[in-house]
Amino acid sequence: MKTLHLVSLGCAKNLVDSEMMLGSLEQGGYTVVENPADADLLLVNTCGFLQSAVEEAVDEILALAEYKQQDHSKKLIVTGCMVQRYGNELQAELPEVDLFIGIDDEIRILELINGLKNDSSLVLTRPSRFLLSYDSPRRLSTPRFRSYLKITEGCDNCCTYCMIPSIRGDLRSRTVEDLLAEAQSLANAGLSELTLIAQDLTAYGDDLGSHINLPGLLLSLLQKTDIPWLRLLYLYPVSISKELLQLMADQPRIVPYLDIPFQHVSDAVLKRMNRRYGRDDLDSMVNQIRHYLPDCALRTTMLVGFPGETEQDFEELLTCLEHWQLDHVGVFPYEDEEGSIAAGLSRKISAEEKQIRYQRVMELQAGISRKKLEQYVGRVESVLVEGVSRETDLLLEGRTRFQAPDIDGCVYINEGTANPGDIVQVHITEAHIYDLVGSIQE
Ligand code: SF4
């Protein structure tokens, strides 16, 4: 029996690529093992979007290379965005690695490993044109009751701080038929929650013709599958249509949750980021969403310390967060990315100042998140049960419709029994900064 150990880094989109490679290798007779010491094949699927992600990837690779030191028959394979971004530079940097595979060639991983020669090699196609499809092999790494559906690849937005378009290529949308086929096969395996992901979900279909768009895809998924929960992550602010909001208002199977990276609020900063909107657009968008979906949970991401961000710009960001009272906010201190347009911009912000601004947003938002969660106390909420809590086996853990997997808090269930994947009614009794507590309504 051939064995493999996988380390999958980065975002949910990269996780889907890892699942594709797991599917191929499983077809080739490989079995996944938890302990790298027991693996013939050591596989690291990297993220290359930020320097911090690249450093993390190199640490993981060097850690696995240790096992190869102890047993030279092991093979160390590195794939993903870091390979796509840095290509043959890596061969010199990381001689321990037997094979580097770029994004477009991951689908051929089994053939490439079977054809592996003794010397380190690199297989890389640029620009990236690959697009996953229903008949691509896939072995879920998430519990069977929840899964990601990657609906596009690449991005055409060209934000000045972002390297993804140069790594993942231009926008490519999968067809509705192809996505439906995948969703139906996932549904047949007993799916409770399907999370739609992309670099920009709202761009879905832009490259397939005017009549194909996100609301159309959702309508097909609603009509042709019985998946209880459909969740939307990564929407571009000004591309959220009334059509989409009306569909969400009419269709409770699309959970009232929207993840919309704003990145900033100041018109001047957004312009330097090449984001196609300003503060007033964000204001009317938040109001419009709350008009159609009063109960909708809003998640966003903010970048602090972008070149040229003045104290006044930053105060404006704090004022807006105070005003909008968003449910979940991820904050990141800006870092120059080699090769990005923003790296060439003037008026850099010092590391100390970036940290101060990061802390101030975190503190403000912690108070807001807690207040938002308190509104659920006393309510009975639908909760998707994940299983026995990671904290203690006295509790079950789950998520409401307002909490996304792997990024938001959870619900600790201290009364009642249920199985992983069940959607149960939970009476919420307590709220903390990020988590809730409650008991199952029998
Ligand atoms: S929308 Fe902007 S930040 Fe997001 S992937 Fe595309 S270019 Fe990058």
Side-chain angles (χ1 to χ4, degrees):
M1 181 179 68
K2 294 182 286 186
T3 55
L4 91 111
H5 174 79
L6 166 71
V7 175
S8 184
L9 302 172
C11 65
K13 289 151 281 207
N14 215 29
L15 183 69
V16 172
D17 294 352
S18 295
E19 293 176 345
M20 174 189 73
M21 290 188 275
L22 282 181
S24 308
L25 293 166
E26 213 168 49
Q27 284 173 356
Y30 282 89
T31 304
V32 176
V33 291
E34 282 312 306
N35 185 345
D38 306 331
D40 306 312
L41 194 64
L42 304 164
L43 174 58
V44 184
N45 188 21
T46 64
C47 172
F49 166 48
L50 298 171
Q51 279 321 305
S52 52
V54 170
E55 284 147 27
E56 183 193 7
V58 172
D59 291 349
E60 289 287 351
I61 293 164
L62 295 177
L64 290 183
E66 297 284 317
Y67 291 92
K68 226 188 113 185
Q69 284 305 324
Q70 288 143 32
D71 174 353
H72 294 298
S73 70
K74 291 183 188 302
K75 294 296 176 206
L76 179 53
I77 315 292
V78 174
T79 62
C81 292
M82 184 177 79
V83 177
Q84 196 70 23
R85 184 172 176 183
Y86 293 105
N88 42 33
E89 286 172 53
L90 296 171
Q91 285 183 290
E93 302 276 330
L94 297 162
E96 305 85 345
V97 175
D98 297 289
L99 176 60
F100 292 97
I101 306 176
I103 294 165
D104 282 33
D105 302 284
E106 292 171 359
I107 189 77
R108 306 196 286 128
I109 189 168
L110 186 60
E111 165 215 327
L112 294 171
I113 287 170
N114 292 345
L116 203 48
K117 304 276 178 300
N118 288 330
D119 50 356
S120 165
S121 52
L122 165 73
V123 182
L124 177 62
T125 309
R126 283 191 181 135
S128 176
R129 300 295 317 135
F130 176 74
L131 190 57
L132 194 70
S133 67
Y134 167 53
D135 49 22
S136 307
R138 186 174 178 193
R139 177 191 178 280
L140 289 190
S141 60
T142 52
R144 65 157 181 72
F145 55 80
R146 63 177 170 89
S147 173
Y148 294 105
L149 185 70
K150 183 154 71 166
I151 70 172
T152 70
E153 192 52 274
C155 185
D156 291 351
N157 287 329
C158 301
C159 306
T160 58
Y161 52 84
C162 182
M163 295 303 291
I164 291 175
S166 67
I167 295 172
R168 291 269 168 178
D170 300 341
L171 173 73
R172 287 111 56 211
S173 300
R174 297 171 64 183
T175 64
V176 173
E177 297 67 32
D178 179 48
L179 290 165
L180 261 183
E182 182 164 5
Q184 280 157 345
S185 86
L186 291 165
N188 298 343
L191 203 66
S192 300
E193 178 186 41
L194 185 65
T195 300
L196 278 63
I197 57 174
Q199 302 302 349
D200 170 4
L201 222 55
T202 56
Y204 176 71
D206 287 1
D207 56 323
L208 295 178
S210 57
H211 60 292
I212 298 176
N213 61 19
L214 180 61
L217 169 63
L218 285 166
L219 209 50
S220 301
L221 289 168
L222 289 162
Q223 287 162 347
K224 306 254 174 59
T225 77
D226 55 7
I227 300 167
W229 285 8
L230 299 173
R231 187 181 297 278
L232 308 179
L233 294 184
Y234 312 106
L235 293 93
Y236 195 89
V238 283
S239 314
I240 296 171
S241 64
K242 288 186 180 152
E243 184 193 1
L244 174 64
L245 297 175
Q246 188 59 60
L247 181 67
M248 292 179 73
D250 298 341
Q251 300 286 343
R253 285 171 57 202
I254 308 173
V255 295
Y257 179 101
L258 287 169
D259 164 50
I260 314 168
F262 295 2
Q263 305 299 14
H264 212 285
V265 303
S266 140
D267 293 354
V269 175
L270 288 166
K271 192 157 185 331
R272 286 161 78 86
M273 289 178 166
N274 189 30
R275 299 288 281 184
R276 302 188 310 277
Y277 51 87
R279 171 170 170 181
D280 295 347
D281 301 306
L282 292 173
D283 225 12
S284 53
M285 179 198 68
V286 170
N287 296 337
Q288 192 172 65
I289 291 171
R290 289 183 171 153
H291 168 71
Y292 282 88
L293 304 161
D295 217 15
C296 189
L298 289 177
R299 161 173 271 281
T300 196
T301 307
M302 293 294 187
L303 265 182
V304 293
F306 191 78
E309 182 191 57
T310 62
E311 189 52 44
Q312 197 198 345
D313 293 326
F314 180 65
E315 292 303 329
E316 192 183 352
L317 189 153
L318 295 177
T319 308
C320 285
L321 288 176
E322 189 68 54
H323 173 63
W324 290 326
Q325 297 281 302
L326 304 173
D327 301 78
H328 312 280
V329 175
V331 195
F332 300 90
Y334 166 81
E335 293 296 339
D336 279 339
E337 276 308 315
E338 181 201 327
S340 71
I341 295 164
L345 293 175
S346 59
R347 294 189 287 146
K348 301 285 182 189
I349 310 296
S350 72
E352 298 72 41
E353 185 53 31
K354 279 193 271 188
Q355 205 46 39
I356 292 167
R357 292 178 185 181
Y358 167 81
Q359 277 307 333
R360 289 184 62 192
V361 175
M362 288 297 282
E363 277 149 30
L364 171 67
Q365 188 56 33
I368 294 171
S369 293
R370 175 193 216 75
K371 225 174 3 185
K372 296 289 288 189
L373 281 185
E374 270 155 11
Q375 70 178 349
Y376 298 113
V377 175
R379 281 167 52 164
V380 174
E381 284 297 332
S382 300
V383 168
L384 170 55
V385 177
E386 289 275 353
V388 175
S389 168
R390 288 156 289 178
E391 308 297 321
T392 157
D393 52 18
L394 298 173
L395 299 173
L396 285 177
E397 217 173 277
R399 285 175 294 107
T400 66
R401 297 167 302 152
F402 312 105
Q403 297 167 313
D406 305 324
I407 49 176
D408 296 328
C410 67
V411 181
Y412 293 107
I413 298 169
N414 55 15
E415 239 177 88
T417 55
N419 298 312
D422 290 354
I423 295 177
V424 294
Q425 298 309 302
V426 173
H427 176 229
I428 306 296
T429 52
E430 284 173 50
H432 302 277
I433 294 182
Y434 300 115
D435 304 312
L436 297 168
V437 177
S439 55
I440 295 178
Q441 297 287 90
E442 299 303 348

